Amino acid sequence: MYRVFGSIFMAIAIAIAINSYEKFNIIRNGEVVEVSIKDIPVSCKVSNKSIKAYFNFYYEGQQYSKNIKGRYCDTLEPGQLLNLKTNRKKKTFVYLDESLTMQYVSIISLAFLGILIFLKHKK
């Protein structure tokens, strides 16, 4: 039973790592682009745990949406130009100052917990 739970925690850690890799690569090697904010359907004032604040923007004729984080809550306005980083596919966008610290903490914590649970079986 411990092996199953340990394996589940390890699988979750690997899934988070795979999901975060694209953003990590954009942060390190991404191209800075200027986007135009179309609208802000869900602002920080009305967001909660189930409804996250986000804005819609245009880049190269395509519409995208991005969640609003931290210091951007009170500064974003429709029609504003904003610099973001993106990859070659132009499908994922990150803020210039975005970091993945919490993802790293989650990955390491889950992997460590999975290993501990997995090894508990051997005792």
Side-chain angles (χ1 to χ4, degrees), residues 84-99:
L84 299 174
K85 278 189 169 183
T86 188
N87 57 2
R88 288 184 186 150
K89 295 178 185 177
K90 311 281 194 265
K91 296 293 180 192
T92 305
F93 295 83
V94 298
Y95 295 106
L96 297 181
D97 61 348
E98 193 166 333
S99 75

Side-chain angles (χ1 to χ4, degrees), residues 16-103:
I16 293 171
I18 291 169
N19 190 30
S20 298
Y21 178 74
E22 185 174 14
K23 282 187 177 182
F24 172 77
N25 195 28
I26 292 171
I27 289 169
R28 292 195 65 211
N29 305 314
E31 171 189 359
V32 177
V33 296
E34 188 174 68
V35 302
S36 174
I37 298 174
K38 177 187 175 206
D39 63 359
I40 304 172
V42 180
S43 70
C44 294
K45 295 175 186 171
V46 296
S47 69
N48 56 38
K49 288 186 178 183
S50 60
I51 301 173
K52 302 294 182 195
Y54 70 96
F55 65 95
N56 294 320
F57 64 93
Y58 283 109
Y59 180 68
E60 292 184 345
Q62 295 284 331
Q63 183 175 329
Y64 300 92
S65 65
K66 173 105 179 105
N67 58 341
I68 302 173
K69 294 184 176 181
R71 70 179 181 97
Y72 297 100
C73 276
D74 298 325
T75 61
L76 297 179
E77 296 178 12
Q80 178 182 353
L81 296 176
L82 178 67
N83 287 329
L84 299 174
K85 278 189 169 183
T86 188
N87 57 2
R88 288 184 186 150
K89 295 178 185 177
K90 311 281 194 265
K91 296 293 180 192
T92 305
F93 295 83
V94 298
Y95 295 106
L96 297 181
D97 61 348
E98 193 166 333
S99 75
L100 299 176
T101 304
M102 290 311 297
Q103 282 89 337

